[in-house]
Amino acid sequence: MNSDHGPHRSARRTLLRAALTGTAALGTGLATGVPAADAAPFAAAPRKRPTTAEEALRELAAGNRRWRTYRERHPDETPTVRQALTTTQHPFALVLSCIDSRVAPELVFDQGLGDLMTVRTAGQVLDEAVLGSLAYGVLELGIPLLMVLGHQSCGAVKATVQADETGAQLPAHIQYLADQIGPAIDRTTSGDARIDATVDANIRLVRSRLAAEPELAAKVDSGELAVVGARYELTTQRVHRLG
């Protein structure tokens, strides 16, 4: 008759409070999308962000060195950074690269959230959507560096060269890619050497096209922007500039 009173009742209340507290904490973790134990962001010293093309190139070179020597830092992934990026972004480099799954700019340059703005198309092919996206990064966000990043053994370049040699018509929209890459074909070589040389020629061609865009050219002339070409080697994981 007295089972609902005294120490037994007090113990049940204590257990209920503990259960409710645990549920509330779990709910908080689910609501914020992180485990309750990790809900409170930890402080991290902010990285000094590059503000010029030269500084951006040095940072990308350092990041690529970490990548190819297996010393990645995976920067700018902390809860503090993620929270800060909900209201603003200040990427320091804009990278136009190939869609190849082995050449993700954030990985090969060991950069994190908010560091790079990337646009990826097969063979770094340009169209109006790509140009508009690149212009947004430069004109609206003030990014000082635009890099055209090609890579060793590019499938889009290989398909273009082979179709040119055989006269074959490529499927559907893939032919559009080949039409854009075609002017870069290096006809002074043959076989695998032609494909490799065309990779470089295509990088330079796309870079020159971008540098000639009037609004981008104005930024280059004023010293606010650098447009550079670079190539990623699958065999060494090294990125190097192309002159």
Side-chain angles (χ1 to χ4, degrees):
M1 291 179 62
N2 295 324
S3 61
D4 291 333
H5 300 282
H8 295 291
R9 185 174 184 179
S10 176
R12 285 199 300 273
R13 286 177 175 172
T14 300
L15 182 62
L16 180 60
R17 282 197 298 270
L20 290 173
T21 302
T23 301
L26 177 61
T28 301
L30 291 174
T32 57
V34 297
D38 298 331
F42 58 89
R47 274 210 304 165
K48 182 181 182 300
R49 304 187 68 76
T51 58
T52 67
E54 292 76 12
E55 290 175 352
L57 284 168
R58 284 196 294 270
E59 174 57 36
L60 293 182
N64 178 243
R65 188 161 51 248
R66 295 193 300 270
W67 165 256
R68 68 177 187 266
T69 56
Y70 305 97
R71 297 176 181 175
E72 300 96 318
R73 295 177 183 170
H74 305 289
D76 295 331
E77 297 178 2
T78 66
T80 300
V81 169
R82 296 185 198 189
Q83 182 60 36
L85 288 173
T86 62
T87 57
T88 187
Q89 64 168 325
H90 301 287
F92 65 82
L94 179 57
V95 182
L96 171 61
S97 66
C98 185
I99 61 170
D100 194 292
S101 63
R102 302 165 293 179
V103 194
E106 289 85 354
L107 295 180
V108 303
F109 290 119
D110 190 29
Q111 300 301 316
L113 295 172
D115 295 332
L116 306 181
M117 180 168 282
T118 62
V119 179
R120 303 181 67 179
T121 65
Q124 305 86 244
V125 164
L126 299 175
D127 64 14
E128 285 302 312
V130 173
L131 288 170
S133 299
L134 298 175
Y136 177 83
V138 172
L139 303 177
E140 298 298 322
L141 297 183
I143 297 175
L145 176 67
L146 170 52
M147 175 180 284
V148 179
L149 180 64
H151 67 94
Q152 179 185 23
S153 303
C154 178
V157 170
K158 181 178 180 179
T160 298
V161 171
Q162 291 180 340
D164 178 74
E165 292 173 345
T166 63
Q169 185 77 9
L170 293 169
H173 302 292
I174 301 177
Q175 184 60 49
Y176 173 81
L177 301 176
D179 291 341
Q180 298 300 308
I181 297 170
I185 293 176
D186 187 327
R187 303 188 185 282
T188 66
T189 56
S190 60
D192 290 342
R194 173 172 289 184
I195 295 171
D196 195 66
T198 301
V199 167
D200 290 357
N202 185 55
I203 293 168
R204 293 189 175 99
L205 177 62
V206 174
R207 191 210 69 80
S208 65
R209 285 175 175 173
L210 289 173
E213 285 291 315
E215 290 181 313
L216 300 184
K219 291 287 187 180
V220 172
D221 291 342
S222 69
E224 299 173 79
L225 174 69
V227 183
V228 303
R231 170 172 161 149
Y232 178 69
E233 304 298 337
L234 297 176
T235 50
T236 63
Q237 294 87 59
R238 178 174 176 262
V239 174
H240 57 93
R241 288 273 303 274
L242 291 182

Short mmCIF file of all heavy atoms in Angstrom, two decimals, residues 58-83:
data_model
loop_
_atom_site.label_atom_id
_atom_site.label_comp_id
_atom_site.label_asym_id
_atom_site.label_seq_id
_atom_site.Cartn_x
_atom_site.Cartn_y
_atom_site.Cartn_z
N ARG A 58 51.04 30.08 -53.08
CA ARG A 58 51.92 29.47 -52.07
C ARG A 58 51.13 28.52 -51.18
O ARG A 58 51.61 27.43 -50.83
CB ARG A 58 52.60 30.55 -51.23
CG ARG A 58 53.74 31.26 -51.96
CD ARG A 58 54.62 32.02 -50.98
NE ARG A 58 53.93 33.12 -50.35
CZ ARG A 58 53.89 34.35 -50.83
NH1 ARG A 58 54.49 34.64 -51.98
NH2 ARG A 58 53.25 35.32 -50.17
N GLU A 59 49.92 28.90 -50.82
CA GLU A 59 49.10 28.04 -49.98
C GLU A 59 48.71 26.76 -50.70
O GLU A 59 48.72 25.66 -50.13
CB GLU A 59 47.84 28.79 -49.53
CG GLU A 59 46.83 27.94 -48.76
CD GLU A 59 47.43 27.29 -47.51
OE1 GLU A 59 48.28 27.92 -46.84
OE2 GLU A 59 47.04 26.13 -47.22
N LEU A 60 48.35 26.88 -51.98
CA LEU A 60 48.01 25.69 -52.75
C LEU A 60 49.22 24.78 -52.92
O LEU A 60 49.10 23.54 -52.84
CB LEU A 60 47.45 26.09 -54.12
CG LEU A 60 46.11 26.81 -54.11
CD1 LEU A 60 45.66 27.10 -55.55
CD2 LEU A 60 45.04 26.02 -53.36
N ALA A 61 50.39 25.36 -53.15
CA ALA A 61 51.60 24.56 -53.28
C ALA A 61 51.92 23.82 -51.99
O ALA A 61 52.29 22.63 -52.00
CB ALA A 61 52.78 25.44 -53.70
N ALA A 62 51.75 24.51 -50.87
CA ALA A 62 52.01 23.87 -49.57
C ALA A 62 51.02 22.74 -49.32
O ALA A 62 51.38 21.68 -48.81
CB ALA A 62 51.95 24.91 -48.45
N GLY A 63 49.76 22.99 -49.67
CA GLY A 63 48.74 21.96 -49.49
C GLY A 63 48.99 20.75 -50.36
O GLY A 63 48.82 19.60 -49.92
N ASN A 64 49.41 20.98 -51.61
CA ASN A 64 49.71 19.85 -52.49
C ASN A 64 50.92 19.08 -51.99
O ASN A 64 50.96 17.84 -52.11
CB ASN A 64 49.95 20.35 -53.91
CG ASN A 64 50.30 19.22 -54.87
OD1 ASN A 64 51.40 19.18 -55.42
ND2 ASN A 64 49.39 18.28 -55.06
N ARG A 65 51.88 19.78 -51.40
CA ARG A 65 53.04 19.09 -50.83
C ARG A 65 52.61 18.18 -49.67
O ARG A 65 53.08 17.05 -49.56
CB ARG A 65 54.06 20.12 -50.36
CG ARG A 65 55.40 19.53 -49.92
CD ARG A 65 56.50 20.59 -49.92
NE ARG A 65 56.10 21.78 -49.19
CZ ARG A 65 55.88 22.96 -49.78
NH1 ARG A 65 55.98 23.09 -51.09
NH2 ARG A 65 55.55 24.02 -49.05
N ARG A 66 51.70 18.67 -48.84
CA ARG A 66 51.19 17.82 -47.76
C ARG A 66 50.46 16.60 -48.32
O ARG A 66 50.60 15.48 -47.83
CB ARG A 66 50.25 18.62 -46.86
CG ARG A 66 50.91 19.76 -46.10
CD ARG A 66 50.01 20.31 -45.00
NE ARG A 66 48.74 20.84 -45.47
CZ ARG A 66 48.55 22.10 -45.83
NH1 ARG A 66 49.55 22.96 -45.81
NH2 ARG A 66 47.35 22.51 -46.22
N TRP A 67 49.67 16.82 -49.37
CA TRP A 67 48.89 15.74 -49.99
C TRP A 67 49.80 14.64 -50.53
O TRP A 67 49.59 13.46 -50.26
CB TRP A 67 48.02 16.33 -51.09
CG TRP A 67 47.44 15.33 -52.04
CD1 TRP A 67 47.85 15.07 -53.32
CD2 TRP A 67 46.33 14.45 -51.81
NE1 TRP A 67 47.07 14.10 -53.90
CE2 TRP A 67 46.12 13.70 -52.99
CE3 TRP A 67 45.48 14.24 -50.72
CZ2 TRP A 67 45.12 12.75 -53.11
CZ3 TRP A 67 44.48 13.29 -50.84
CH2 TRP A 67 44.30 12.55 -52.01
N ARG A 68 50.79 15.03 -51.29
CA ARG A 68 51.60 14.00 -51.96
C ARG A 68 52.61 13.34 -51.02
O ARG A 68 53.20 12.32 -51.37
CB ARG A 68 52.29 14.58 -53.18
CG ARG A 68 53.37 15.60 -52.94
CD ARG A 68 54.01 16.02 -54.27
NE ARG A 68 55.16 16.87 -54.10
CZ ARG A 68 55.14 18.19 -54.12
NH1 ARG A 68 53.99 18.83 -54.30
NH2 ARG A 68 56.25 18.89 -53.96
N THR A 69 52.78 13.92 -49.82
CA THR A 69 53.66 13.28 -48.83
C THR A 69 52.86 12.66 -47.69
O THR A 69 53.42 12.29 -46.67
CB THR A 69 54.67 14.30 -48.26
OG1 THR A 69 53.96 15.41 -47.69
CG2 THR A 69 55.62 14.79 -49.34
N TYR A 70 51.56 12.57 -47.89
CA TYR A 70 50.66 11.91 -46.92
C TYR A 70 50.71 12.57 -45.54
O TYR A 70 50.71 11.91 -44.52
CB TYR A 70 50.99 10.41 -46.82
CG TYR A 70 50.94 9.72 -48.16
CD1 TYR A 70 52.12 9.51 -48.88
CD2 TYR A 70 49.74 9.33 -48.72
CE1 TYR A 70 52.09 8.91 -50.15
CE2 TYR A 70 49.70 8.73 -49.97
CZ TYR A 70 50.87 8.52 -50.68
OH TYR A 70 50.83 7.93 -51.92
N ARG A 71 50.72 13.91 -45.54
CA ARG A 71 50.74 14.67 -44.29
C ARG A 71 49.59 15.67 -44.27
O ARG A 71 49.73 16.79 -43.80
CB ARG A 71 52.08 15.40 -44.14
CG ARG A 71 53.27 14.45 -44.04
CD ARG A 71 54.59 15.20 -43.99
NE ARG A 71 55.73 14.29 -43.91
CZ ARG A 71 57.00 14.67 -43.94
NH1 ARG A 71 57.30 15.96 -44.06
NH2 ARG A 71 57.97 13.78 -43.85
N GLU A 72 48.45 15.25 -44.76
CA GLU A 72 47.30 16.15 -44.85
C GLU A 72 46.88 16.65 -43.47
O GLU A 72 46.95 15.94 -42.48
CB GLU A 72 46.11 15.44 -45.50
CG GLU A 72 46.36 14.94 -46.90
CD GLU A 72 46.77 13.48 -46.92
OE1 GLU A 72 47.59 13.09 -46.07
OE2 GLU A 72 46.27 12.74 -47.79
N ARG A 73 46.42 17.90 -43.44
CA ARG A 73 45.92 18.50 -42.20
C ARG A 73 44.40 18.58 -42.15
O ARG A 73 43.82 18.80 -41.10
CB ARG A 73 46.50 19.91 -42.04
CG ARG A 73 48.01 19.95 -41.87
CD ARG A 73 48.50 21.38 -41.80
NE ARG A 73 49.96 21.47 -41.71
CZ ARG A 73 50.64 22.60 -41.82
NH1 ARG A 73 49.99 23.75 -42.01
NH2 ARG A 73 51.96 22.59 -41.73
N HIS A 74 43.75 18.43 -43.30
CA HIS A 74 42.30 18.55 -43.39
C HIS A 74 41.82 19.83 -42.67
O HIS A 74 41.04 19.77 -41.73
CB HIS A 74 41.62 17.33 -42.78
CG HIS A 74 42.07 16.04 -43.39
ND1 HIS A 74 41.72 15.66 -44.67
CD2 HIS A 74 42.87 15.05 -42.90
CE1 HIS A 74 42.28 14.49 -44.94
NE2 HIS A 74 42.98 14.10 -43.90
N PRO A 75 42.29 20.98 -43.12
CA PRO A 75 41.97 22.22 -42.41
C PRO A 75 40.52 22.66 -42.58
O PRO A 75 39.81 22.18 -43.47
CB PRO A 75 42.92 23.24 -43.06
CG PRO A 75 43.08 22.72 -44.46
CD PRO A 75 43.09 21.22 -44.33
N ASP A 76 40.11 23.56 -41.71
CA ASP A 76 38.82 24.24 -41.82
C ASP A 76 37.63 23.28 -41.86
O ASP A 76 36.71 23.42 -42.67
CB ASP A 76 38.80 25.17 -43.04
CG ASP A 76 39.80 26.30 -42.89
OD1 ASP A 76 40.07 26.69 -41.74
OD2 ASP A 76 40.32 26.77 -43.91
N GLU A 77 37.65 22.31 -40.95
CA GLU A 77 36.53 21.39 -40.81
C GLU A 77 35.95 21.38 -39.40
O GLU A 77 35.04 20.62 -39.11
CB GLU A 77 37.00 19.96 -41.17
CG GLU A 77 37.47 19.81 -42.61
CD GLU A 77 37.96 18.41 -42.92
OE1 GLU A 77 37.90 17.54 -42.02
OE2 GLU A 77 38.41 18.18 -44.05
N THR A 78 36.46 22.25 -38.53
CA THR A 78 36.03 22.24 -37.13
C THR A 78 34.60 22.78 -36.99
O THR A 78 34.10 23.49 -37.87
CB THR A 78 36.96 23.11 -36.27
OG1 THR A 78 36.80 24.48 -36.69
CG2 THR A 78 38.41 22.68 -36.43
N PRO A 79 33.94 22.46 -35.88
CA PRO A 79 32.61 23.03 -35.63
C PRO A 79 32.61 24.55 -35.68
O PRO A 79 31.66 25.16 -36.15
CB PRO A 79 32.27 22.50 -34.23
CG PRO A 79 33.01 21.22 -34.14
CD PRO A 79 34.31 21.45 -34.86
N THR A 80 33.68 25.17 -35.18
CA THR A 80 33.75 26.64 -35.19
C THR A 80 33.72 27.17 -36.62
O THR A 80 33.00 28.12 -36.92
CB THR A 80 35.04 27.11 -34.49
OG1 THR A 80 35.04 26.63 -33.14
CG2 THR A 80 35.14 28.62 -34.50
N VAL A 81 34.51 26.57 -37.49
CA VAL A 81 34.55 27.00 -38.89
C VAL A 81 33.21 26.75 -39.56
O VAL A 81 32.68 27.60 -40.28
CB VAL A 81 35.67 26.27 -39.65
CG1 VAL A 81 35.56 26.51 -41.15
CG2 VAL A 81 37.03 26.72 -39.15
N ARG A 82 32.63 25.59 -39.33
CA ARG A 82 31.34 25.27 -39.96
C ARG A 82 30.27 26.27 -39.55
O ARG A 82 29.45 26.70 -40.37
CB ARG A 82 30.91 23.86 -39.56
CG ARG A 82 31.84 22.78 -40.06
CD ARG A 82 31.30 21.40 -39.74
NE ARG A 82 32.35 20.40 -39.83
CZ ARG A 82 32.14 19.09 -39.76
NH1 ARG A 82 30.91 18.63 -39.59
NH2 ARG A 82 33.13 18.23 -39.85
N GLN A 83 30.28 26.67 -38.27
CA GLN A 83 29.29 27.64 -37.81
C GLN A 83 29.53 29.00 -38.45
O GLN A 83 28.60 29.68 -38.89
CB GLN A 83 29.36 27.76 -36.28
CG GLN A 83 28.32 28.70 -35.68
CD GLN A 83 26.90 28.29 -35.97
OE1 GLN A 83 26.59 27.09 -36.01
NE2 GLN A 83 26.02 29.25 -36.20
#
